[in-house]
Amino acid sequence: MQFPAPLIPGRLLKRYKRFLADVELEDRSVVVAHCANPGSMLGLAAHGSVVWLSPAQNPARKLKFSWELVDSGGALVGINTGRANGLVGEALEQERIPALGSGNRIRREVPYGNRSRVDFLLQKEGVKDCYLEVKSVTLKRNDGLAEFPDSVTARGARHLEELAAMVAEGHRAVLLFLVQRGDCREVGVARDIDPTYGKALDRAIVQGVEVLCYSCEVSPEGVALDAALPLAL
């Protein structure tokens, strides 16, 4: 996934109200950028961090910039969770996720469960429907280990229950952890941050929900699915 326009570097002054960030640009001007990340962004929102912004494509938009990347200890991290589905959708179209097969009809945001929408529904004649949920992962506290979640996520636990329900109905269900950074070798569950989510994931796996993990190649030019990673439970 290539960014539609060159990113603009700056330094983070502060993130506030969850979805806003003040960023100082190279000309010393300060802009307010949209922060498309509902999590805590633990370890990624320190004052003075080098960040990259994308300019708004819609001239009528109130906030003219979106926060896309941050430099974390020399590794670029994609913090825009809104990009995750686009990245996985691109990889599905290019058939770059072998475990999900090829020749699928790819449907997005399909209603299912208890008033929810699954990120992708993969359908192919003669094969079980596959319900695919994507989670963007940015947290790294230990060398080589990406973790999810970075804050309590009741919604994430509910999604696991709904995926398990699809398996019980005879379908296939997959949770894909998309690590939007390239400096991790495995993915774990941050049970100290959200023990309820950890237990929900354990139950879902026992009930037949599959888990895939992938890292990303991140640069100021774009972000793309990279390598499969193991899940460390």
Side-chain angles (χ1 to χ4, degrees), residues 35-230:
C35 176
N37 190 316
S40 71
M41 289 182 58
L42 183 63
L44 299 175
H47 173 83
S49 296
V50 177
V51 300
W52 281 263
L53 311 179
S54 61
Q57 299 301 296
N58 181 358
R61 185 176 140 177
K62 182 178 180 181
L63 294 179
K64 304 302 181 184
F65 300 94
S66 291
W67 183 4
E68 298 286 353
L69 310 178
V70 61
D71 185 312
S72 175
L76 291 184
V77 183
I79 64 91
N80 187 340
T81 59
R83 298 284 186 191
N85 282 10
L87 289 164
V88 173
E90 180 181 79
L92 289 171
E93 290 168 0
Q94 297 172 354
E95 300 183 347
R96 295 184 56 208
I97 307 177
L100 297 178
S102 60
N104 294 304
R105 177 192 179 199
I106 303 168
R107 299 175 59 195
R108 302 170 187 247
E109 297 291 325
V110 178
Y112 88 123
N114 183 18
R115 294 176 296 176
S116 294
R117 290 178 180 271
V118 71
D119 292 324
F120 297 95
L121 176 58
L122 309 180
Q123 296 177 308
K124 183 178 178 180
E125 187 175 351
V127 178
K128 291 181 181 180
D129 286 354
C130 179
Y131 289 78
L132 174 63
E133 187 72 30
V134 178
K135 297 300 180 188
S136 178
V137 182
T138 59
L139 176 61
K140 177 192 167 192
R141 295 181 291 180
N142 299 293
D143 183 42
L145 178 65
E147 294 179 282
F148 183 89
D150 67 357
S151 59
V152 174
T153 173
R155 183 170 177 264
R158 176 168 55 83
H159 285 162
L160 289 169
E161 293 174 358
E162 291 173 337
L163 289 175
M166 293 299 101
V167 175
E169 291 181 12
H171 306 295
R172 185 184 181 194
V174 178
L175 175 67
L176 194 155
F177 287 125
L178 184 72
V179 182
Q180 289 203 59
R181 53 194 303 160
D183 59 346
C184 295
R185 300 183 298 274
E186 59 183 353
V187 179
V189 182
R191 297 175 186 271
D192 59 321
I193 293 176
D194 191 348
T196 299
Y197 184 84
K199 293 175 182 177
L201 180 60
D202 293 340
R203 286 195 302 271
I205 292 173
V206 169
Q207 292 167 328
V209 175
E210 302 168 46
V211 181
L212 299 177
C213 308
Y214 273 84
S215 64
C216 285
E217 183 178 352
V218 184
S219 77
E221 287 71 47
V223 184
L225 192 85
D226 190 16
L229 301 176

